[in-house]
Amino acid sequence: MAVKRTRRPRGSLTPDVILEAAEAVAEQGFEALSMRAVAARLEAVPMALYNHFATKEQLVAALLDRVLFRFEPPPATDDWIEDLRAFANAHRRLLAAHAWAVAPIFTNPSPGLASVRIGELALAILVRGGLSNADAVAAFSGMLALNYGWASFTAARDLDPGGPSHDVAAMLRALPAEAFPLTVATADAWGTYGSDRDYAFALGRFLDGLRAAASDATI
Amino acid sequence: MAVKRTRRPRGSLTPDVILEAAEAVAEQGFEALSMRAVAARLEAVPMALYNHFATKEQLVAALLDRVLFRFEPPPATDDWIEDLRAFANAHRRLLAAHAWAVAPIFTNPSPGLASVRIGELALAILVRGGLSNADAVAAFSGMLALNYGWASFTAARDLDPGGPSHDVAAMLRALPAEAFPLTVATADAWGTYGSDRDYAFALGRFLDGLRAAASDATI
DNA sequence: ACCTGAACACCGTTCAAGT
DNA sequence: ACCTGAACACCGTTCAAGT
């Protein structure tokens, strides 16, 4: 009674079709993304994928670039700092919406076209603010680093709800207060570790400093 | 002529000995760290490790905690912002000195004791600066995120010298200037992407904003 | 209690073969 | 040109056996 596998039609496997399947698999956790799992979802044999991507690494790079191309820049206003804030928030939301992608993007800092596009859009805001080329690159790097680091805090929780990082407040409260007085005292605040409010605070301080530096330079 | 494997003496395998070997393996690249490779280095059989660590995940968690315990806080001065700057720099140097550990720490936000210790030390500085508990946690989160994100930029290069991220400047210069004018114009600045100078700029703006916020609150 | 050996269910990928 | 099948050299881990 075994169902005889039908042979896949000739042109039915394209990079797009493969990436679509790969993303569906990755959404169940990036570690679940294997060439064999993607092939199985397409009812193809693992080796069929290798006609379209030379290695798994290249398939993953293409997949991540595809995700990053979904970034939509907020409309510009006349306040470059507010534009930068909106930009950073939109970028962080993109990462949060693809929690499975955060770790591999972090590990694989692929200089793909989608990353270049995001950089170009950010530089436009920073240069408009009066920053030098060198400072604009440094400022964009800082914003990216903040977002990737922050996304790792939240991605870990989103990907593993109920995991060890879930009731961090309870764990910290149970520590010896003699050794870690401030940690125990701030246990409640740690419960919202990685929250939107905390992100707004951190990003806000960075933008405050950036605005001050830019106005110093232009006076 | 095959050398007969001698049986390992009874107490010769301890968690410390295993972690020592694991770190030596991981230094050749974290993806090279397998239970089998660690066992081979100890001239033991893979299953021997399971008497000391229940899973690979637990072994890795212990290994990362061990690395983070090497953090040495700089001595305190009477300027909390300068103390925070020195703290952030020391933390980033620790990550840079263990480039192989950056990705797994990022993926595995283990609330291990070493992380708690680092947090306690940072909070001491922030509370001394007059920040509320909630703001201190947010500020420390921001500094951590910045450092982990930044470390990912440099770790990728350090772990794969001569890799695709090596001559990023040349790659960016080759892009169509109509589509990416600012990227092409800043190609030289991107060549030093992730540099100490750029980090100092990004951290500096964050600390400027933090100082301003703290003095506002205490007036 | 701790170390071993064989086995199981996975990987990515090579290589030769089909159509 | 693209899809297939079998095989190779790896994984983490279970389970039963040694000492």
Side-chain angles (χ1 to χ4, degrees), chain A residues 169 172-173 185-195 198, chain B residues 133-138:
Chain A
L172 296 178
R173 235 190 314 272
T186 55
D188 288 337
W190 283 110
T192 56
Y193 179 61
S195 68
D198 282 8
Chain B
N133 279 359
D135 285 356
V137 167

Side-chain angles (χ1 to χ4, degrees), chain A residues 5-6 8 12-13 18 35-49:
Chain A
R5 276 281 318 292
T6 56
R8 265 200 86 88
S12 65
L13 231 47
I18 293 172
M35 296 301 267
R36 294 170 120 105
V38 174
R41 171 169 260 265
L42 293 168
E43 293 185 319
V45 94
M47 282 313 300
L49 307 181

Side-chain angles (χ1 to χ4, degrees), chain B residues 39-133:
Chain B
R41 171 170 262 264
L42 293 167
E43 293 185 318
V45 92
M47 282 313 298
L49 307 180
Y50 286 82
N51 291 304
H52 305 276
F53 296 98
T55 61
K56 182 186 180 183
E57 196 178 341
Q58 287 187 24
L59 189 155
V60 169
L63 179 59
L64 298 177
D65 212 42
R66 195 174 129 104
V67 167
L68 290 180
F69 259 120
R70 292 183 191 145
F71 177 74
E72 288 188 37
T77 69
D78 58 354
D79 184 339
W80 70 280
I81 285 284
E82 288 314 313
D83 288 356
L84 200 55
R85 196 188 316 273
F87 188 97
N89 277 308
H91 182 258
R92 190 169 77 93
R93 273 197 304 274
L94 178 73
L95 296 181
H98 302 84
W100 58 267
V102 172
I105 293 177
F106 181 93
T107 308
N108 242 53
S110 68
L113 260 195
S115 307
V116 170
R117 170 174 166 265
I118 290 172
E120 179 76 21
L121 292 165
L123 288 177
I125 299 173
L126 291 159
V127 166
R128 181 150 53 86
L131 270 69
S132 70
N133 279 359

Side-chain angles (χ1 to χ4, degrees), chain B residues 169-184:
Chain B
M171 197 204 79
L172 296 178
R173 233 188 315 270
L175 288 171
E178 317 85 63
F180 308 108
L182 296 168
T183 302
V184 173

Side-chain angles (χ1 to χ4, degrees), chain A residues 40 139 157 183 211-212:
Chain A
R157 266 204 288 255
T183 304
R211 171 156 40 199

